């Protein structure tokens, strides 16, 4: 490894890595004195720069590491590759693949004051967000941005359409409520009538009046009286059944990742059992396995048996 | 408290805007108390109440719209589902079938509909209910229109 480059920290007498440094600690080795900024296009120090302003890398020296892969691991792999290719590449002019160049961040944010005279590469125009932020040589990044951008656009569009929707309980526009916590829709699973999450939850949890059938009043939609078993909070209103399904699925998935406080890692008893939306996992991480016990009732129908606990019998006992 | 007040205020504005739209209902809010309302409704046509104007008193509870308003007739009316003395109304949506999507305006409409379609099987006014249940529609109609003339029409002269 005689052709390693000299560690620049070692030259100044202060390399913290000591023996394990990937650069050479032998002062006979050449120093890499090429300015990487100049090679990439512009060096702010200009003629005052203490590094050499050359566009080609000296044959015996290593190319500057690409800007995006600066961690030591990739540097050392670069180093080995370079070792192998050294002989055939020694006279070649080193140039970085264009995909390694970063794009102008001003243009990507919307507008570059230098316009065509900018020394940096300007990205291609994204038609969705109208910014020059698509890297011309990184197809996967472009695709990701386009996807993300379209999703964002859709969300903004949905938000715009949701602005005028009123809650039938408080008669307010839901997205014009005073506090951010109130600016949420409560979706009913079985019908498409809009309410604020606060209003519909208040109504569903209000105390039933005597003679009231809970299923046809409190748990039903206040407008069409269709029975829904749960309410889904959402910041936007949907415009198609697919969007509604997506909102509900995301909500359910989120709840499934939260541990059920009734189940309490197997120490408690969840009244919702197998239909609980929350996670039923034991403290060692394995999930509860639900085995439903089916019983034939007297009428010949099949019913699902509840789990019985000894404490339920003992609790009812009266000891004299 | 704040919620019910905000909602009643919205309804008040809606009533002002809709005044022309529904000439059968005139909802008026008490000047000093937004929880007290009165309404004047016209008796539906082709019923013994036709031509009469009936006054309703609304008392809105604090948890409104989670609880229904208390409504009673101030004008005397001969109807199976209205108490003859107190004016109390037997209507499911004012009791156990209430829904917060109802408004004072829509309650008035429901009461007009109840006047046109009495439910003699759950009567508050037994005499009136019995007339209808025994099939004496003519007797019921003449009693009801007599009380409409007596109580719900402007006195002549």
């Amino acid at each position: 490894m005689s052709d390693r480059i000299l560690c620049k920290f070692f030259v100044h007498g202060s390399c913290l890595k000591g023996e394990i440094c990937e650069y050479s600690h032998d002062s006979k080795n050449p120093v890499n004195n090429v300015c990487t900024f100049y090679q990439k296009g512009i060096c702010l120090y200009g003629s005052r720069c203490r590094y050499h302003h050359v566009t080609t890398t000296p044959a015996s020296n290593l190319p500057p590491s690409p800007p995006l892969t600066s961690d030591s691991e990739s540097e050392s792999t670069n180093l080995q590759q370079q070792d192998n290719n050294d002989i055939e590449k020694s006279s070649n002019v080193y140039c970085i693949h264009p995909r390694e160049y970063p794009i102008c961040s001003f243009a990507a944010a919307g507008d570059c004051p230098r316009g065509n005279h900018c020394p940096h590469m300007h990205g291609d125009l994204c038609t969705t967000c109208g910014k020059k932020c698509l890297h011309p040589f990184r197809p996967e990044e472009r695709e990701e941005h386009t996807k993300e951008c379209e999703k964002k656009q859709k969300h903004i569009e949905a938000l715009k359409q949701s602005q005028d929707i009123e809650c039938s309980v408080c008669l307010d526009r839901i997205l014009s409520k005073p506090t951010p916590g109130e600016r949420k829709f409560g979706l009913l699973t079985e019908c498409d009538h809009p309410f604020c999450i606060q209003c519909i939850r208040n109504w569903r949890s209000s105390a039933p009046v005597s003679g009231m059938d809970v299923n046809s009043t409190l748990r039903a939609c206040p407008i069409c009286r269709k029975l829904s078993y749960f309410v889904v909070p959402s910041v936007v209103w949907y415009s198609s059944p697919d969007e509604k399904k997506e909102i509900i699925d995301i909500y359910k998935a989120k709840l499934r990742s939260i541990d059920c406080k009734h189940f309490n890692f197997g120490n408690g008893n969840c009244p919702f059992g197998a239909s609980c939306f929350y996670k039923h996992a034991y403290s060692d991480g394995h999930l509860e396995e639900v085995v439903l016990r089916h019983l034939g009732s007297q009428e010949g129908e099949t019913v699902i048996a509840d789990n019985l606990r000894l404490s339920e019998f003992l609790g009812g006992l009266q000891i004299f | 408290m704040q919620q019910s007040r905000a909602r009643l205020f919205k309804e008040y504005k809606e009533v002002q805007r809709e005044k022309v739209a529904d000439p059968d209902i005139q909802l008026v809010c008490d000047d000093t108390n937004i929880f007290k309302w009165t309404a004047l409704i016209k008796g539906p046509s082709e019923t013994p109440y036709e031509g009469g104007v009936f006054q309703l008193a609304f008392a809105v509870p604090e948890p409104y719209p989670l609880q229904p308003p208390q409504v009673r007739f101030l004008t005397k009316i001969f109807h199976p589902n209205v108490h003859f003395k107190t004016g109390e109304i037997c209507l499911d949506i004012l009791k156990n079938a209430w829904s917060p999507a109802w408004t004072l305006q829509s309650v008035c409409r429901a009461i007009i509909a109840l006047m046109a379609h009495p439910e003699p099987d759950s009567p508050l006014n037994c005499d009136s209910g019995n007339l209808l249940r025994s099939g004496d529609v003519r007797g019921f109609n003449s009693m009801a229109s007599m009380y409409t003339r007596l109580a719900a029409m402007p006195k002549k002269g």
Side-chain angles (χ1 to χ4, degrees):
Chain A
M1 298 289 274
S2 59
D3 44 18
R4 291 198 306 177
I5 20 166
L6 189 60
C7 172
K8 59 179 163 189
F9 295 100
F10 178 75
V11 172
H12 296 289
S14 63
C15 180
L16 289 175
K17 288 185 182 170
E19 289 288 285
I20 54 158
C21 181
E22 57 265 47
Y23 292 94
S24 165
H25 281 192
D26 183 354
S27 50
K28 279 179 224 144
N29 274 325
V31 194
N32 184 7
N33 243 355
V34 177
C35 173
T36 51
F37 291 98
Y38 184 77
Q39 286 200 323
K40 276 184 235 160
I42 186 162
C43 172
L44 288 178
Y45 289 102
S47 56
R48 291 180 293 121
C49 184
R50 68 165 90 166
Y51 294 98
H52 298 313
H53 278 187
V54 284
T55 42
T56 55
T57 315
S60 57
N61 273 2
L62 274 177
S65 58
L68 286 177
T69 54
S70 58
D71 50 310
S72 58
E73 215 177 50
S74 64
E75 254 172 283
S76 59
T77 50
N78 274 351
L79 194 96
Q80 276 162 8
Q81 278 172 2
Q82 185 60 28
D83 283 343
N84 299 336
N85 301 341
D86 216 9
I87 307 143
E88 58 211 69
K89 224 185 163 187
S90 56
S91 59
N92 279 357
V93 170
Y94 183 83
C95 81
I96 309 171
H97 190 274
R99 59 177 282 121
E100 303 297 350
Y101 285 108
I103 53 168
C104 170
S105 57
F106 286 98
D111 184 38
C112 174
R114 291 192 235 183
N116 289 338
H117 303 292
C118 181
H120 296 283
M121 183 160 63
H122 279 191
D124 292 337
L125 189 74
C126 166
T127 46
T128 323
C129 65
K131 287 173 184 165
K132 290 180 180 172
C133 51
L134 295 177
H135 198 290
F137 300 100
R138 294 181 195 164
E140 65 285 356
E141 203 180 286
R142 286 173 78 105
E143 204 171 304
E144 196 184 326
H145 172 86
T146 320
K147 251 190 225 159
E148 196 75 8
C149 214
E150 270 167 12
K151 215 167 138 193
K152 247 187 236 167
Q153 198 64 27
K154 231 168 142 189
H155 185 80
I156 291 171
E157 207 59 40
L159 260 180
K160 246 186 229 163
Q161 281 172 3
S162 314
Q163 282 304 328
D164 291 334
I165 294 175
E166 284 176 3
C167 164
S168 314
V169 175
C170 60
L171 308 178
D172 274 333
R173 279 193 199 160
I174 296 160
L175 295 181
S176 310
K177 289 286 220 176
T179 61
E182 289 173 295
R183 291 179 212 138
K184 254 186 201 169
F185 294 91
L187 316 190
L188 292 173
T189 49
E190 303 304 319
C191 71
D192 298 320
H193 293 114
F195 303 98
C196 339
I197 185 73
Q198 203 65 43
C199 285
I200 191 71
R201 279 195 174 146
N202 278 347
W203 167 242
R204 289 171 76 94
S205 62
S206 63
V209 184
S210 65
M212 186 187 264
D213 177 24
V214 177
N215 273 354
S216 69
T217 47
L218 291 184
R219 286 182 197 152
C221 167
I223 295 174
C224 65
R225 297 201 188 267
K226 219 168 188 182
L227 175 63
S228 288
Y229 285 104
F230 58 96
V231 180
V232 178
S234 166
V235 284
V236 289
W237 191 248
Y238 52 88
S239 53
S240 68
D242 288 341
E243 277 176 48
K244 179 177 182 179
K245 196 177 168 290
E246 196 189 334
I247 293 172
I248 295 175
D249 287 347
I250 290 173
Y251 176 65
K252 278 192 176 171
K254 203 171 103 193
L255 293 193
R256 252 196 309 277
S257 67
I258 301 171
D259 286 303
C260 173
K261 65 176 178 185
H262 294 296
F263 187 72
N264 193 14
F265 304 106
N267 299 323
N269 194 7
C270 176
F272 302 99
S275 4
C276 184
F277 284 165
Y278 292 93
K279 186 159 93 179
H280 282 192
Y282 294 97
S283 39
D284 61 358
H286 80 273
L287 293 174
E288 177 194 37
E289 277 172 42
V290 183
V291 185
L292 294 177
R293 284 167 58 217
H294 294 274
L295 300 176
S297 70
Q298 282 178 328
E299 290 81 28
E301 293 162 350
T302 312
V303 293
I304 293 168
D306 290 333
N307 278 334
L308 289 177
R309 292 196 158 208
L310 187 59
S311 59
E312 284 164 25
F313 292 103
L314 295 176
L317 269 184
Q318 283 186 324
I319 300 164
F320 296 100
Chain B
M1 182 77 174
Q2 203 52 50
Q3 263 186 342
S4 52
R5 203 178 277 278
R7 149 111 187 206
L8 284 168
F9 192 64
K10 288 246 166 199
E11 284 193 41
Y12 178 75
K13 278 204 260 183
E14 188 66 13
V15 164
Q16 302 302 90
R17 214 164 54 82
E18 246 186 42
K19 239 174 194 168
V20 202
D22 200 341
D24 293 345
I25 301 167
Q26 246 187 68
L27 250 175
V28 190
C29 175
D30 193 295
D31 290 337
T32 54
N33 188 352
I34 201 165
F35 291 96
K36 294 259 179 284
W37 294 62
T38 47
L40 293 173
I41 54 173
K42 281 188 188 156
S45 56
E46 289 168 43
T47 66
Y49 311 107
E50 187 174 358
V53 175
F54 298 86
Q55 198 179 9
L56 298 170
F58 285 81
V60 183
E62 228 170 74
Y64 181 81
L66 300 182
Q67 277 179 22
Q70 292 160 2
V71 192
R72 59 190 194 90
F73 271 94
L74 290 179
T75 313
K76 211 158 256 324
I77 179 170
F78 188 75
H79 187 282
N81 308 109
V82 182
H83 196 281
F84 192 65
K85 286 208 174 100
T86 61
E88 191 194 330
I89 302 166
C90 178
L91 183 56
D92 59 347
I93 61 136
L94 292 176
K95 303 212 157 60
N96 51 33
W98 168 254
S99 136
W102 288 92
T103 62
L104 299 182
Q105 185 90 12
S106 59
V107 166
C108 288
R109 273 188 216 122
I111 291 173
I112 293 175
L114 179 74
M115 286 163 84
H117 303 278
E119 279 296 337
D121 289 331
S122 59
L124 264 178
N125 181 341
C126 295
D127 297 332
S128 148
N130 284 339
L131 277 176
L132 273 180
R133 275 203 284 191
S134 60
D136 190 359
V137 178
R138 199 173 153 199
F140 166 79
N141 280 350
S142 41
M143 281 290 272
S145 63
M146 181 189 83
Y147 278 108
T148 306
R149 272 159 197 264
L150 277 179
M153 284 190 194
K155 305 262 182 315
K156 279 173 193 155

